[in-house]
Amino acid sequence: MGTRIPSHQLSSGLYVSGRPEQPKERQPPTMASRSVPYTGGDPKKSGELGKMLDIPVLDPKSHPSSSSSQLSTGPARSRPNSGQVGKNITGSGTLSRKSTGSGPIALQPTGLITSGPVGSGPVGASRRSGQLEQSGSMGKAVYGSAVTSLGEEVKVGFRVSRSVVWVFMVVVAMCLLVGVFLMVAVKKNVILFALGGVIVPVLVLIIWNCVLGRKGLLGFVKRYPDAELRGAIDGQYVKVTGVVTCGSIPLESSYQRIPRCVYVSSELYEYKGWGGKSAHPKHRCFTWGSRYSEKYIADFYISDFQTGLRALVKAGYGNKVAPFVKPTTVVDVTKENRELSPNFLGWLADRKLSTDDRIMRLKEGHIKEGSTVSVMGVVRRHENVLMIVPPTEPVSTGCQWMRCLLPTGVEGLIITCEDNQNADVIAV
């Protein structure tokens, strides 16, 4: 006797073999009965960190009351206490707890870098991670070897060969000897006037060149034609005029705090009256003498107006540079105005300069990013980098006959800036 295979009809009307499947009751999803224990920054309760620091790890099951009490505390969960190592820590954004063990745990330095400002989450009394805080007073800026310190004034000298100087001196001496001999022998005043007609023009020419030598050099630089960097060959002496941008090390003026400069200078002058104090050993009476000076310049870029190319000007790393930048007076202390501002007093204190009753004048000059500058130097091409470097020999202006000027020269890169120091420059 055979058995009949049970069958049933689906909702679509199709008959299939087997018994209909009984619907199962839907059960709610199961959740973990034990939540993650709250460590509060305690390395004993965070397993991996405790193992890494060789600290005995506490079993969270053995302290259910402490974890449950910390989890139920609202303010404790809202404060960012992760990363706080140690106990009895107080301050903004930290959790103050009493020690339940034998005292604070002295941890060995691990080199672990933590985020946040300095002082938030100290690992010890002496080790802190993060960036060092700057003091309230900026003080005197200290630059490295990448920035050139220009201590002395730009020296403009006569570029006349020694042979010409010796010949000129011999001719003048012979003229003097012959004139004196004839004046004694002939005993006529005509010889004296003739001798004066030779010596006086020579003295006037020398004085004229000593006074206007610097101005003549600047006129030569201004009249020198601008070159195109696109067609400049390696080793060519050129003049480039364009807009400057800072290199890897931007400078800042010491008193006015003008940022993003390629050249800064600060000079303190003092006036010496009759029997007053001298700014330096060679300071003469009734003149202004330089008491303190600091000048810095770094590598910078210049964008040529002719072609639009950008070249790197190698002015840093101790290179010889002759900047011709007219400074402006920022502080003027006279007999009537003896009240010194706190900023000026702090500037003097940072440089260990006295603040006694002296007539002082502080001048600052700078070349800010975006200024128009003219640079005279030698072109150097290194792979794809176009550079302007100082020449090996001093540059001579040659004789300027129309202006009665002898050849003058200066060593290093020649940099001139005619922009007004008080005017706003182009933002780059």
Side-chain angles (χ1 to χ4, degrees):
M1 182 176 178
T3 59
R4 183 179 179 182
I5 300 174
S7 63
H8 67 278
Q9 186 179 11
L10 300 178
S11 59
S12 60
L14 181 65
Y15 285 92
V16 295
S17 61
R19 298 179 183 275
E21 185 177 0
Q22 298 295 329
K24 299 180 179 179
E25 296 182 359
R26 183 174 296 179
Q27 299 179 356
T30 59
M31 298 181 64
S33 60
R34 187 174 68 88
S35 58
V36 178
Y38 179 74
T39 64
D42 194 344
K44 285 187 174 183
K45 299 178 182 179
S46 55
E48 297 300 328
L49 181 60
K51 294 177 182 178
M52 184 175 63
L53 300 178
D54 295 332
I55 298 174
V57 182
L58 298 180
D59 188 3
K61 295 181 180 181
S62 61
H63 297 277
S65 58
S66 61
S67 60
S68 60
S69 60
Q70 291 176 354
L71 284 172
S72 61
T73 307
R77 295 186 63 183
S78 62
R79 294 178 182 267
N81 292 302
S82 178
Q84 304 291 337
V85 183
K87 298 181 179 181
N88 295 332
I89 302 174
T90 58
S92 176
T94 58
L95 178 65
S96 177
R97 299 184 291 112
K98 292 184 179 181
S99 175
T100 57
S102 59
I105 303 173
L107 301 179
Q108 297 296 328
T110 61
L112 183 65
I113 300 175
T114 59
S115 60
V118 177
S120 62
V123 178
S126 59
R127 287 187 66 89
R128 292 183 179 181
S129 62
Q131 215 171 12
L132 294 178
E133 292 181 346
Q134 296 180 351
S135 58
S137 176
M138 295 295 291
K140 180 181 177 181
V142 179
Y143 298 105
S145 60
V147 178
T148 302
S149 177
L150 307 174
E152 300 179 355
E153 190 71 20
V154 178
K155 294 182 179 180
V156 179
F158 297 115
R159 302 300 302 173
V160 183
S161 62
R162 292 184 178 181
S163 59
V164 174
V165 174
W166 281 107
V167 170
F168 177 77
M169 293 178 64
V170 169
V171 171
V172 171
M174 291 179 63
C175 291
L176 288 174
L177 290 175
V178 172
V180 171
F181 175 77
L182 292 177
M183 187 176 61
V184 173
V186 179
K187 296 181 180 180
K188 289 184 179 181
N189 295 331
V190 179
I191 306 299
L192 180 62
F193 287 111
L195 187 62
V198 175
I199 297 177
V200 170
V202 174
L203 293 177
V204 171
L205 180 64
I206 295 175
I207 295 174
W208 175 267
N209 280 266
C210 291
V211 174
L212 299 179
R214 187 185 182 95
K215 188 176 181 181
L217 177 63
L218 293 177
F220 167 78
V221 173
K222 188 175 182 180
R223 293 187 302 271
Y224 201 90
D226 292 332
E228 295 185 0
L229 288 177
R230 192 183 303 276
I233 61 177
D234 188 74
Q236 181 181 355
Y237 187 79
V238 297
K239 173 191 172 184
V240 180
T241 302
V243 178
V244 299
T245 53
C246 293
S248 59
I249 305 178
L251 306 179
E252 184 184 61
S253 60
S254 62
Y255 183 75
Q256 293 179 299
R257 299 298 181 187
I258 299 176
R260 300 199 63 78
C261 297
V262 301
Y263 165 80
V264 291
S265 68
S266 298
E267 300 172 273
L268 180 64
Y269 293 91
E270 290 185 358
Y271 183 80
K272 180 182 178 181
W274 183 260
K277 297 181 180 179
S278 300
H280 53 83
K282 297 182 179 180
H283 191 188
R284 296 186 300 270
C285 295
F286 307 107
T287 58
W288 287 91
S290 177
R291 185 183 179 190
Y292 178 82
S293 176
E294 61 180 37
K295 300 177 182 179
Y296 300 103
I297 190 168
D299 292 350
F300 61 92
Y301 295 93
I302 182 170
S303 299
D304 183 18
F305 280 158
Q306 300 290 330
T307 60
L309 292 179
R310 193 172 77 158
L312 174 63
V313 181
K314 297 296 293 181
Y317 295 96
N319 289 323
K320 293 183 178 180
V321 184
F324 294 93
V325 180
K326 186 178 181 181
T328 58
T329 302
V330 294
V331 176
D332 196 2
V333 181
T334 61
K335 293 182 179 180
E336 292 77 14
N337 182 18
R338 292 289 185 181
E339 295 294 333
L340 302 180
S341 63
N343 293 336
F344 185 54
L345 290 175
W347 188 89
L348 293 174
D350 292 335
R351 287 147 186 84
K352 299 180 181 179
L353 300 174
S354 60
T355 58
D356 49 4
D357 295 338
R358 298 190 183 190
I359 300 177
M360 295 178 289
R361 182 174 293 172
L362 178 62
K363 293 185 177 182
E364 277 197 342
H366 63 273
I367 299 178
K368 192 176 180 181
E369 187 176 54
S371 301
T372 301
V373 171
S374 296
V375 179
M376 296 183 70
V378 178
V379 175
R380 284 286 181 266
R381 295 182 180 271
H382 180 69
E383 296 179 353
N384 295 328
V385 180
L386 180 62
M387 297 181 293
I388 301 178
V389 301
T392 56
E393 297 292 334
V395 179
S396 177
T397 61
C399 290
Q400 304 181 46
W401 301 106
M402 299 299 295
R403 296 172 177 82
C404 299
L405 294 175
L406 297 174
T408 56
V410 66
E411 294 183 345
L413 287 169
I414 300 177
I415 301 177
T416 60
C417 180
E418 298 182 357
D419 286 355
N420 187 3
Q421 299 294 315
N422 297 324
D424 294 334
V425 297
I426 303 173
V428 178

